Amino acid sequence: MNYRMLIYLLGIITMIEAALMVFPLLVALIYGESVMPFLITMAIMLVLALPIVIFKPKNKRIYAKEGFITAATSWLLLSCFGALPFVFSGAIPNYIDALFETVSGFTTTGASILTEVESLPRGILFWRSFTHWVGGMGVLVFMLAILPTDNGHAMHLLRAEVPGPTKDKIVPKMRQTALILYGIYMALTVVLFIALLCTKMPPYDSIVNAFATAGTGGFSVKNASIGAYQNPAAEWVIALFMLLFGANFNIYFLLLIKRFRDVLKNEELRVYLVLCVLATALITLNTLSYFPTVGETVRTAFFQVSTLISTTGFVTTNYDLWPSFSKTILLLVMVTGSCAGSTAGGLKISRVIIAIKNMFRSVKKTIRPRSVNVVRMDGEAVPDATLHATASYVSIYFALIVIVTLLLSFDGFSIETNLTATLATINNVGPGLATVGPTGNYAAFSPFSKIVLAFSMLIGRLEIMPILILFSPTTWRRG
């Protein structure tokens, strides 16, 4: 274990977070609010990080284990420091509550303990939404984009943080890959911001909602979320961009270099779009009597499908009042999530496709033991290592759902609340049903349950392994 390099990277991450707090600090200055919560937090981080980063380690090698541990500890560190402005400002005086909110922000979950947000300082709300944007693409990817890092070893950092069953560089150089990813991410965010301005949404609201949409997070500066604006044009824009940010960013790179044929043959993208259309159509038919016009029904159904399949968690209506059929569909798309290599959570469409194909292969193999059956994605054979990894991931995923749901049951809420709270956090969605539904929140949970749910969010965002490796005793044994 290269402890010196691990500590050095954590120091760099802390410095980056301190630098990122300049933006909400400027917002606080613009609106005449106190900047002390950010200044104090930045000072604490700089005092702790500067002595670490001054002396660069001689051995800069990073292997798979260090990559996973760096990812897990980075996100824990980001959340612990990121919670301080909420506490120092008095917006969320309880540190556990503030930590829950910050973890929810960085993991782009959008689950909140706040019952009222509109009275909070603009700078604090900006930081709250900005954590979505930072966490959406990943802070380690950002670090790789701005700092020169050994190309071969940096791949372990990318693999530990970027969601999906496979993680590949889109160009040979690691830093160039990170720059391209962030370039696409920033460009789409700017286009979304301009589009929201065109719908006559106020500039401040446009930028924070753009952050939350881009990171597929769902924190809003309105108590009633996007539904508070009563702006159909904004709803269409946000719904469309939630789907765009739920697609694999490699798709946009392929479009940029005009490899349209590769885009069209992408199986995950096709299934993703078909699933969105099918879910929207079924919910529209099932909820026609709930809205005055067909147009409003389609818009509302499309928005809820888009917000949950992209695991964003914005709300325009209380879908908890919809028929069980529609709510079941929403839960299903919440679990599947969007595409690998996106800012969204969930199991990922590609992982679901591989798991289903592997299941059918096992059935065929049982019937005809000597037959040769190959699982293919986009016309290419999926390696056995990926098949095993997918099967292991799905098994651990459902085991964790059971464990977290059981731990939440000590609070005495209904099974619907506990199960959907677990699904909503481990899939980084935010709202669930019942107590944690679209008009509810997580404030009523005990401190213990909030810590459990915070770890559930981190496990979901980092896709299980980094957190499990971090807390595994074998990780820290010598030899």
Side-chain angles (χ1 to χ4, degrees), residues 67-103:
F68 284 118
I69 292 172
T70 301
T73 50
S74 294
W75 284 73
L76 286 169
L77 204 64
L78 282 170
S79 301
C80 290
F81 284 127
L84 294 179
F86 293 109
V87 177
F88 293 148
S89 67
I92 309 177
N94 183 286
Y95 183 76
I96 290 179
D97 284 348
L99 182 63
F100 179 95
E101 199 80 8
T102 310
V103 171

PDB file of all heavy atoms in Angstrom, residues 67-103:
ATOM      1  N   GLY A  67      -6.461   2.770  -5.825  1.00  0.00           N
ATOM      2  CA  GLY A  67      -7.490   3.497  -6.571  1.00  0.00           C
ATOM      3  C   GLY A  67      -8.841   3.434  -5.878  1.00  0.00           C
ATOM      4  O   GLY A  67      -9.516   4.453  -5.716  1.00  0.00           O
ATOM      5  N   PHE A  68      -9.229   2.237  -5.445  1.00  0.00           N
ATOM      6  CA  PHE A  68     -10.506   2.084  -4.745  1.00  0.00           C
ATOM      7  C   PHE A  68     -10.510   2.823  -3.405  1.00  0.00           C
ATOM      8  O   PHE A  68     -11.488   3.478  -3.049  1.00  0.00           O
ATOM      9  CB  PHE A  68     -10.806   0.597  -4.521  1.00  0.00           C
ATOM     10  CG  PHE A  68     -11.279  -0.124  -5.745  1.00  0.00           C
ATOM     11  CD1 PHE A  68     -10.540  -1.176  -6.285  1.00  0.00           C
ATOM     12  CD2 PHE A  68     -12.467   0.238  -6.360  1.00  0.00           C
ATOM     13  CE1 PHE A  68     -10.987  -1.843  -7.423  1.00  0.00           C
ATOM     14  CE2 PHE A  68     -12.924  -0.427  -7.496  1.00  0.00           C
ATOM     15  CZ  PHE A  68     -12.175  -1.460  -8.028  1.00  0.00           C
ATOM     16  N   ILE A  69      -9.407   2.701  -2.666  1.00  0.00           N
ATOM     17  CA  ILE A  69      -9.338   3.352  -1.353  1.00  0.00           C
ATOM     18  C   ILE A  69      -9.324   4.870  -1.513  1.00  0.00           C
ATOM     19  O   ILE A  69      -9.968   5.598  -0.747  1.00  0.00           O
ATOM     20  CB  ILE A  69      -8.094   2.869  -0.582  1.00  0.00           C
ATOM     21  CG1 ILE A  69      -8.258   1.395  -0.215  1.00  0.00           C
ATOM     22  CG2 ILE A  69      -7.879   3.696   0.691  1.00  0.00           C
ATOM     23  CD1 ILE A  69      -7.024   0.770   0.384  1.00  0.00           C
ATOM     24  N   THR A  70      -8.610   5.376  -2.513  1.00  0.00           N
ATOM     25  CA  THR A  70      -8.586   6.818  -2.764  1.00  0.00           C
ATOM     26  C   THR A  70      -9.975   7.336  -3.096  1.00  0.00           C
ATOM     27  O   THR A  70     -10.402   8.385  -2.601  1.00  0.00           O
ATOM     28  CB  THR A  70      -7.615   7.150  -3.919  1.00  0.00           C
ATOM     29  OG1 THR A  70      -6.303   6.706  -3.580  1.00  0.00           O
ATOM     30  CG2 THR A  70      -7.582   8.649  -4.177  1.00  0.00           C
ATOM     31  N   ALA A  71     -10.701   6.588  -3.934  1.00  0.00           N
ATOM     32  CA  ALA A  71     -12.064   6.997  -4.295  1.00  0.00           C
ATOM     33  C   ALA A  71     -12.961   7.060  -3.070  1.00  0.00           C
ATOM     34  O   ALA A  71     -13.654   8.054  -2.838  1.00  0.00           O
ATOM     35  CB  ALA A  71     -12.645   6.040  -5.331  1.00  0.00           C
ATOM     36  N   ALA A  72     -12.951   6.000  -2.263  1.00  0.00           N
ATOM     37  CA  ALA A  72     -13.830   5.943  -1.091  1.00  0.00           C
ATOM     38  C   ALA A  72     -13.487   7.014  -0.068  1.00  0.00           C
ATOM     39  O   ALA A  72     -14.371   7.734   0.415  1.00  0.00           O
ATOM     40  CB  ALA A  72     -13.745   4.560  -0.446  1.00  0.00           C
ATOM     41  N   THR A  73     -12.196   7.149   0.272  1.00  0.00           N
ATOM     42  CA  THR A  73     -11.797   8.134   1.278  1.00  0.00           C
ATOM     43  C   THR A  73     -11.980   9.560   0.775  1.00  0.00           C
ATOM     44  O   THR A  73     -12.298  10.459   1.563  1.00  0.00           O
ATOM     45  CB  THR A  73     -10.337   7.912   1.717  1.00  0.00           C
ATOM     46  OG1 THR A  73      -9.497   7.814   0.553  1.00  0.00           O
ATOM     47  CG2 THR A  73     -10.200   6.655   2.540  1.00  0.00           C
ATOM     48  N   SER A  74     -11.795   9.778  -0.522  1.00  0.00           N
ATOM     49  CA  SER A  74     -12.006  11.118  -1.092  1.00  0.00           C
ATOM     50  C   SER A  74     -13.441  11.578  -0.906  1.00  0.00           C
ATOM     51  O   SER A  74     -13.697  12.716  -0.503  1.00  0.00           O
ATOM     52  CB  SER A  74     -11.653  11.125  -2.579  1.00  0.00           C
ATOM     53  OG  SER A  74     -10.289  10.896  -2.782  1.00  0.00           O
ATOM     54  N   TRP A  75     -14.382  10.681  -1.195  1.00  0.00           N
ATOM     55  CA  TRP A  75     -15.786  11.052  -1.091  1.00  0.00           C
ATOM     56  C   TRP A  75     -16.210  11.238   0.363  1.00  0.00           C
ATOM     57  O   TRP A  75     -17.036  12.094   0.672  1.00  0.00           O
ATOM     58  CB  TRP A  75     -16.651  10.008  -1.803  1.00  0.00           C
ATOM     59  CG  TRP A  75     -16.580  10.175  -3.289  1.00  0.00           C
ATOM     60  CD1 TRP A  75     -15.529   9.872  -4.100  1.00  0.00           C
ATOM     61  CD2 TRP A  75     -17.583  10.736  -4.143  1.00  0.00           C
ATOM     62  NE1 TRP A  75     -15.822  10.187  -5.406  1.00  0.00           N
ATOM     63  CE2 TRP A  75     -17.073  10.708  -5.468  1.00  0.00           C
ATOM     64  CE3 TRP A  75     -18.861  11.221  -3.934  1.00  0.00           C
ATOM     65  CZ2 TRP A  75     -17.788  11.181  -6.547  1.00  0.00           C
ATOM     66  CZ3 TRP A  75     -19.591  11.678  -5.014  1.00  0.00           C
ATOM     67  CH2 TRP A  75     -19.065  11.661  -6.310  1.00  0.00           C
ATOM     68  N   LEU A  76     -15.638  10.444   1.262  1.00  0.00           N
ATOM     69  CA  LEU A  76     -15.921  10.647   2.682  1.00  0.00           C
ATOM     70  C   LEU A  76     -15.365  11.985   3.155  1.00  0.00           C
ATOM     71  O   LEU A  76     -16.029  12.734   3.889  1.00  0.00           O
ATOM     72  CB  LEU A  76     -15.301   9.507   3.500  1.00  0.00           C
ATOM     73  CG  LEU A  76     -16.010   8.154   3.432  1.00  0.00           C
ATOM     74  CD1 LEU A  76     -15.150   7.068   4.070  1.00  0.00           C
ATOM     75  CD2 LEU A  76     -17.372   8.214   4.131  1.00  0.00           C
ATOM     76  N   LEU A  77     -14.152  12.290   2.722  1.00  0.00           N
ATOM     77  CA  LEU A  77     -13.516  13.546   3.106  1.00  0.00           C
ATOM     78  C   LEU A  77     -14.267  14.748   2.545  1.00  0.00           C
ATOM     79  O   LEU A  77     -14.515  15.739   3.254  1.00  0.00           O
ATOM     80  CB  LEU A  77     -12.065  13.550   2.605  1.00  0.00           C
ATOM     81  CG  LEU A  77     -11.064  14.449   3.333  1.00  0.00           C
ATOM     82  CD1 LEU A  77     -10.885  13.985   4.769  1.00  0.00           C
ATOM     83  CD2 LEU A  77      -9.723  14.426   2.605  1.00  0.00           C
ATOM     84  N   LEU A  78     -14.640  14.680   1.279  1.00  0.00           N
ATOM     85  CA  LEU A  78     -15.416  15.757   0.648  1.00  0.00           C
ATOM     86  C   LEU A  78     -16.692  16.041   1.428  1.00  0.00           C
ATOM     87  O   LEU A  78     -17.056  17.202   1.666  1.00  0.00           O
ATOM     88  CB  LEU A  78     -15.781  15.368  -0.785  1.00  0.00           C
ATOM     89  CG  LEU A  78     -14.718  15.476  -1.871  1.00  0.00           C
ATOM     90  CD1 LEU A  78     -15.214  14.813  -3.139  1.00  0.00           C
ATOM     91  CD2 LEU A  78     -14.372  16.932  -2.140  1.00  0.00           C
ATOM     92  N   SER A  79     -17.373  14.979   1.811  1.00  0.00           N
ATOM     93  CA  SER A  79     -18.648  15.128   2.514  1.00  0.00           C
ATOM     94  C   SER A  79     -18.459  15.710   3.912  1.00  0.00           C
ATOM     95  O   SER A  79     -19.221  16.582   4.334  1.00  0.00           O
ATOM     96  CB  SER A  79     -19.356  13.775   2.596  1.00  0.00           C
ATOM     97  OG  SER A  79     -19.592  13.250   1.303  1.00  0.00           O
ATOM     98  N   CYS A  80     -17.430  15.231   4.612  1.00  0.00           N
ATOM     99  CA  CYS A  80     -17.192  15.714   5.987  1.00  0.00           C
ATOM    100  C   CYS A  80     -16.862  17.197   6.000  1.00  0.00           C
ATOM    101  O   CYS A  80     -17.377  17.955   6.834  1.00  0.00           O
ATOM    102  CB  CYS A  80     -16.068  14.921   6.634  1.00  0.00           C
ATOM    103  SG  CYS A  80     -16.511  13.208   7.018  1.00  0.00           S
ATOM    104  N   PHE A  81     -16.006  17.654   5.083  1.00  0.00           N
ATOM    105  CA  PHE A  81     -15.677  19.075   5.012  1.00  0.00           C
ATOM    106  C   PHE A  81     -16.807  19.881   4.371  1.00  0.00           C
ATOM    107  O   PHE A  81     -17.091  21.014   4.777  1.00  0.00           O
ATOM    108  CB  PHE A  81     -14.387  19.285   4.205  1.00  0.00           C
ATOM    109  CG  PHE A  81     -13.141  18.927   4.952  1.00  0.00           C
ATOM    110  CD1 PHE A  81     -12.217  18.056   4.403  1.00  0.00           C
ATOM    111  CD2 PHE A  81     -12.881  19.448   6.214  1.00  0.00           C
ATOM    112  CE1 PHE A  81     -11.057  17.706   5.084  1.00  0.00           C
ATOM    113  CE2 PHE A  81     -11.728  19.106   6.917  1.00  0.00           C
ATOM    114  CZ  PHE A  81     -10.812  18.234   6.343  1.00  0.00           C
ATOM    115  N   GLY A  82     -17.458  19.294   3.363  1.00  0.00           N
ATOM    116  CA  GLY A  82     -18.529  20.008   2.664  1.00  0.00           C
ATOM    117  C   GLY A  82     -19.719  20.312   3.535  1.00  0.00           C
ATOM    118  O   GLY A  82     -20.510  21.221   3.244  1.00  0.00           O
ATOM    119  N   ALA A  83     -19.868  19.576   4.647  1.00  0.00           N
ATOM    120  CA  ALA A  83     -20.995  19.804   5.559  1.00  0.00           C
ATOM    121  C   ALA A  83     -20.787  21.024   6.452  1.00  0.00           C
ATOM    122  O   ALA A  83     -21.750  21.571   7.003  1.00  0.00           O
ATOM    123  CB  ALA A  83     -21.207  18.558   6.433  1.00  0.00           C
ATOM    124  N   LEU A  84     -19.543  21.454   6.599  1.00  0.00           N
ATOM    125  CA  LEU A  84     -19.231  22.523   7.558  1.00  0.00           C
ATOM    126  C   LEU A  84     -19.922  23.856   7.262  1.00  0.00           C
ATOM    127  O   LEU A  84     -20.400  24.513   8.191  1.00  0.00           O
ATOM    128  CB  LEU A  84     -17.713  22.710   7.651  1.00  0.00           C
ATOM    129  CG  LEU A  84     -16.939  21.524   8.241  1.00  0.00           C
ATOM    130  CD1 LEU A  84     -15.441  21.812   8.262  1.00  0.00           C
ATOM    131  CD2 LEU A  84     -17.444  21.204   9.643  1.00  0.00           C
ATOM    132  N   PRO A  85     -19.993  24.325   5.987  1.00  0.00           N
ATOM    133  CA  PRO A  85     -20.698  25.591   5.745  1.00  0.00           C
ATOM    134  C   PRO A  85     -22.160  25.574   6.193  1.00  0.00           C
ATOM    135  O   PRO A  85     -22.683  26.594   6.654  1.00  0.00           O
ATOM    136  CB  PRO A  85     -20.597  25.760   4.223  1.00  0.00           C
ATOM    137  CG  PRO A  85     -19.378  25.017   3.842  1.00  0.00           C
ATOM    138  CD  PRO A  85     -19.342  23.832   4.759  1.00  0.00           C
ATOM    139  N   PHE A  86     -22.829  24.419   6.072  1.00  0.00           N
ATOM    140  CA  PHE A  86     -24.219  24.312   6.541  1.00  0.00           C
ATOM    141  C   PHE A  86     -24.290  24.511   8.057  1.00  0.00           C
ATOM    142  O   PHE A  86     -25.189  25.179   8.559  1.00  0.00           O
ATOM    143  CB  PHE A  86     -24.796  22.938   6.177  1.00  0.00           C
ATOM    144  CG  PHE A  86     -24.965  22.703   4.707  1.00  0.00           C
ATOM    145  CD1 PHE A  86     -24.143  21.813   4.035  1.00  0.00           C
ATOM    146  CD2 PHE A  86     -25.944  23.367   3.982  1.00  0.00           C
ATOM    147  CE1 PHE A  86     -24.292  21.584   2.679  1.00  0.00           C
ATOM    148  CE2 PHE A  86     -26.109  23.153   2.624  1.00  0.00           C
ATOM    149  CZ  PHE A  86     -25.270  22.262   1.967  1.00  0.00           C
ATOM    150  N   VAL A  87     -23.315  23.935   8.768  1.00  0.00           N
ATOM    151  CA  VAL A  87     -23.303  24.043  10.233  1.00  0.00           C
ATOM    152  C   VAL A  87     -22.919  25.456  10.661  1.00  0.00           C
ATOM    153  O   VAL A  87     -23.591  26.065  11.507  1.00  0.00           O
ATOM    154  CB  VAL A  87     -22.323  23.015  10.843  1.00  0.00           C
ATOM    155  CG1 VAL A  87     -22.257  23.182  12.364  1.00  0.00           C
ATOM    156  CG2 VAL A  87     -22.750  21.598  10.485  1.00  0.00           C
ATOM    157  N   PHE A  88     -21.841  26.003  10.081  1.00  0.00           N
ATOM    158  CA  PHE A  88     -21.359  27.325  10.475  1.00  0.00           C
ATOM    159  C   PHE A  88     -22.358  28.433  10.146  1.00  0.00           C
ATOM    160  O   PHE A  88     -22.410  29.454  10.838  1.00  0.00           O
ATOM    161  CB  PHE A  88     -20.021  27.629   9.794  1.00  0.00           C
ATOM    162  CG  PHE A  88     -18.893  26.763  10.263  1.00  0.00           C
ATOM    163  CD1 PHE A  88     -17.856  26.395   9.403  1.00  0.00           C
ATOM    164  CD2 PHE A  88     -18.840  26.295  11.561  1.00  0.00           C
ATOM    165  CE1 PHE A  88     -16.807  25.592   9.828  1.00  0.00           C
ATOM    166  CE2 PHE A  88     -17.804  25.484  12.012  1.00  0.00           C
ATOM    167  CZ  PHE A  88     -16.789  25.137  11.139  1.00  0.00           C
ATOM    168  N   SER A  89     -23.158  28.245   9.099  1.00  0.00           N
ATOM    169  CA  SER A  89     -24.157  29.255   8.725  1.00  0.00           C
ATOM    170  C   SER A  89     -25.424  29.141   9.556  1.00  0.00           C
ATOM    171  O   SER A  89     -26.247  30.073   9.575  1.00  0.00           O
ATOM    172  CB  SER A  89     -24.525  29.120   7.245  1.00  0.00           C
ATOM    173  OG  SER A  89     -25.210  27.897   7.012  1.00  0.00           O
ATOM    174  N   GLY A  90     -25.608  28.005  10.224  1.00  0.00           N
ATOM    175  CA  GLY A  90     -26.834  27.783  10.985  1.00  0.00           C
ATOM    176  C   GLY A  90     -27.970  27.256  10.128  1.00  0.00           C
ATOM    177  O   GLY A  90     -29.072  27.012  10.628  1.00  0.00           O
ATOM    178  N   ALA A  91     -27.718  27.054   8.822  1.00  0.00           N
ATOM    179  CA  ALA A  91     -28.758  26.528   7.932  1.00  0.00           C
ATOM    180  C   ALA A  91     -29.156  25.124   8.351  1.00  0.00           C
ATOM    181  O   ALA A  91     -30.333  24.756   8.333  1.00  0.00           O
ATOM    182  CB  ALA A  91     -28.284  26.537   6.480  1.00  0.00           C
ATOM    183  N   ILE A  92     -28.157  24.322   8.731  1.00  0.00           N
ATOM    184  CA  ILE A  92     -28.385  22.973   9.266  1.00  0.00           C
ATOM    185  C   ILE A  92     -27.468  22.839  10.483  1.00  0.00           C
ATOM    186  O   ILE A  92     -26.340  22.350  10.360  1.00  0.00           O
ATOM    187  CB  ILE A  92     -28.092  21.871   8.226  1.00  0.00           C
ATOM    188  CG1 ILE A  92     -28.817  22.134   6.905  1.00  0.00           C
ATOM    189  CG2 ILE A  92     -28.510  20.498   8.768  1.00  0.00           C
ATOM    190  CD1 ILE A  92     -28.519  21.125   5.812  1.00  0.00           C
ATOM    191  N   PRO A  93     -27.901  23.247  11.647  1.00  0.00           N
ATOM    192  CA  PRO A  93     -27.016  23.277  12.824  1.00  0.00           C
ATOM    193  C   PRO A  93     -26.543  21.920  13.302  1.00  0.00           C
ATOM    194  O   PRO A  93     -25.468  21.815  13.897  1.00  0.00           O
ATOM    195  CB  PRO A  93     -27.878  23.965  13.895  1.00  0.00           C
ATOM    196  CG  PRO A  93     -29.291  23.849  13.417  1.00  0.00           C
ATOM    197  CD  PRO A  93     -29.238  23.794  11.936  1.00  0.00           C
ATOM    198  N   ASN A  94     -27.315  20.858  13.058  1.00  0.00           N
ATOM    199  CA  ASN A  94     -26.919  19.511  13.485  1.00  0.00           C
ATOM    200  C   ASN A  94     -25.955  18.914  12.462  1.00  0.00           C
ATOM    201  O   ASN A  94     -26.279  18.798  11.280  1.00  0.00           O
ATOM    202  CB  ASN A  94     -28.161  18.619  13.623  1.00  0.00           C
ATOM    203  CG  ASN A  94     -27.828  17.229  14.120  1.00  0.00           C
ATOM    204  OD1 ASN A  94     -27.293  16.412  13.387  1.00  0.00           O
ATOM    205  ND2 ASN A  94     -28.147  16.947  15.381  1.00  0.00           N
ATOM    206  N   TYR A  95     -24.748  18.496  12.930  1.00  0.00           N
ATOM    207  CA  TYR A  95     -23.726  18.042  11.985  1.00  0.00           C
ATOM    208  C   TYR A  95     -24.146  16.781  11.233  1.00  0.00           C
ATOM    209  O   TYR A  95     -23.866  16.652  10.042  1.00  0.00           O
ATOM    210  CB  TYR A  95     -22.389  17.793  12.686  1.00  0.00           C
ATOM    211  CG  TYR A  95     -21.303  17.398  11.708  1.00  0.00           C
ATOM    212  CD1 TYR A  95     -20.695  18.355  10.897  1.00  0.00           C
ATOM    213  CD2 TYR A  95     -20.922  16.066  11.562  1.00  0.00           C
ATOM    214  CE1 TYR A  95     -19.720  17.991   9.976  1.00  0.00           C
ATOM    215  CE2 TYR A  95     -19.946  15.694  10.645  1.00  0.00           C
ATOM    216  CZ  TYR A  95     -19.358  16.664   9.854  1.00  0.00           C
ATOM    217  OH  TYR A  95     -18.400  16.306   8.929  1.00  0.00           O
ATOM    218  N   ILE A  96     -24.811  15.842  11.879  1.00  0.00           N
ATOM    219  CA  ILE A  96     -25.232  14.612  11.196  1.00  0.00           C
ATOM    220  C   ILE A  96     -26.219  14.942  10.082  1.00  0.00           C
ATOM    221  O   ILE A  96     -26.135  14.392   8.976  1.00  0.00           O
ATOM    222  CB  ILE A  96     -25.835  13.604  12.195  1.00  0.00           C
ATOM    223  CG1 ILE A  96     -24.733  13.050  13.108  1.00  0.00           C
ATOM    224  CG2 ILE A  96     -26.526  12.449  11.455  1.00  0.00           C
ATOM    225  CD1 ILE A  96     -25.211  12.075  14.146  1.00  0.00           C
ATOM    226  N   ASP A  97     -27.146  15.857  10.364  1.00  0.00           N
ATOM    227  CA  ASP A  97     -28.081  16.299   9.325  1.00  0.00           C
ATOM    228  C   ASP A  97     -27.331  16.968   8.169  1.00  0.00           C
ATOM    229  O   ASP A  97     -27.632  16.733   6.992  1.00  0.00           O
ATOM    230  CB  ASP A  97     -29.107  17.271   9.901  1.00  0.00           C
ATOM    231  CG  ASP A  97     -30.173  16.572  10.734  1.00  0.00           C
ATOM    232  OD1 ASP A  97     -30.243  15.332  10.680  1.00  0.00           O
ATOM    233  OD2 ASP A  97     -30.939  17.267  11.420  1.00  0.00           O
ATOM    234  N   ALA A  98     -26.358  17.808   8.525  1.00  0.00           N
ATOM    235  CA  ALA A  98     -25.575  18.502   7.498  1.00  0.00           C
ATOM    236  C   ALA A  98     -24.762  17.508   6.672  1.00  0.00           C
ATOM    237  O   ALA A  98     -24.632  17.646   5.449  1.00  0.00           O
ATOM    238  CB  ALA A  98     -24.655  19.527   8.151  1.00  0.00           C
ATOM    239  N   LEU A  99     -24.211  16.490   7.351  1.00  0.00           N
ATOM    240  CA  LEU A  99     -23.443  15.465   6.647  1.00  0.00           C
ATOM    241  C   LEU A  99     -24.342  14.679   5.707  1.00  0.00           C
ATOM    242  O   LEU A  99     -23.967  14.399   4.555  1.00  0.00           O
ATOM    243  CB  LEU A  99     -22.791  14.523   7.662  1.00  0.00           C
ATOM    244  CG  LEU A  99     -21.916  13.407   7.090  1.00  0.00           C
ATOM    245  CD1 LEU A  99     -20.715  13.982   6.349  1.00  0.00           C
ATOM    246  CD2 LEU A  99     -21.448  12.466   8.197  1.00  0.00           C
ATOM    247  N   PHE A 100     -25.544  14.324   6.160  1.00  0.00           N
ATOM    248  CA  PHE A 100     -26.513  13.621   5.316  1.00  0.00           C
ATOM    249  C   PHE A 100     -26.803  14.445   4.060  1.00  0.00           C
ATOM    250  O   PHE A 100     -26.783  13.925   2.935  1.00  0.00           O
ATOM    251  CB  PHE A 100     -27.804  13.381   6.092  1.00  0.00           C
ATOM    252  CG  PHE A 100     -28.892  12.685   5.303  1.00  0.00           C
ATOM    253  CD1 PHE A 100     -29.043  11.309   5.376  1.00  0.00           C
ATOM    254  CD2 PHE A 100     -29.760  13.404   4.490  1.00  0.00           C
ATOM    255  CE1 PHE A 100     -30.037  10.668   4.644  1.00  0.00           C
ATOM    256  CE2 PHE A 100     -30.755  12.774   3.761  1.00  0.00           C
ATOM    257  CZ  PHE A 100     -30.888  11.402   3.842  1.00  0.00           C
ATOM    258  N   GLU A 101     -27.066  15.737   4.236  1.00  0.00           N
ATOM    259  CA  GLU A 101     -27.394  16.618   3.107  1.00  0.00           C
ATOM    260  C   GLU A 101     -26.223  16.726   2.142  1.00  0.00           C
ATOM    261  O   GLU A 101     -26.411  16.742   0.923  1.00  0.00           O
ATOM    262  CB  GLU A 101     -27.783  18.000   3.631  1.00  0.00           C
ATOM    263  CG  GLU A 101     -28.562  18.861   2.656  1.00  0.00           C
ATOM    264  CD  GLU A 101     -30.037  18.496   2.587  1.00  0.00           C
ATOM    265  OE1 GLU A 101     -30.502  17.668   3.405  1.00  0.00           O
ATOM    266  OE2 GLU A 101     -30.739  19.040   1.714  1.00  0.00           O
ATOM    267  N   THR A 102     -25.012  16.796   2.689  1.00  0.00           N
ATOM    268  CA  THR A 102     -23.827  16.946   1.843  1.00  0.00           C
ATOM    269  C   THR A 102     -23.512  15.664   1.086  1.00  0.00           C
ATOM    270  O   THR A 102     -23.173  15.707  -0.101  1.00  0.00           O
ATOM    271  CB  THR A 102     -22.612  17.360   2.696  1.00  0.00           C
ATOM    272  OG1 THR A 102     -22.965  18.476   3.508  1.00  0.00           O
ATOM    273  CG2 THR A 102     -21.442  17.743   1.817  1.00  0.00           C
ATOM    274  N   VAL A 103     -23.603  14.529   1.765  1.00  0.00           N
ATOM    275  CA  VAL A 103     -23.421  13.242   1.081  1.00  0.00           C
ATOM    276  C   VAL A 103     -24.451  13.107  -0.030  1.00  0.00           C
ATOM    277  O   VAL A 103     -24.131  12.696  -1.149  1.00  0.00           O
ATOM    278  CB  VAL A 103     -23.547  12.059   2.068  1.00  0.00           C
ATOM    279  CG1 VAL A 103     -23.585  10.730   1.319  1.00  0.00           C
ATOM    280  CG2 VAL A 103     -22.392  12.057   3.059  1.00  0.00           C
TER     281      VAL A 103
END
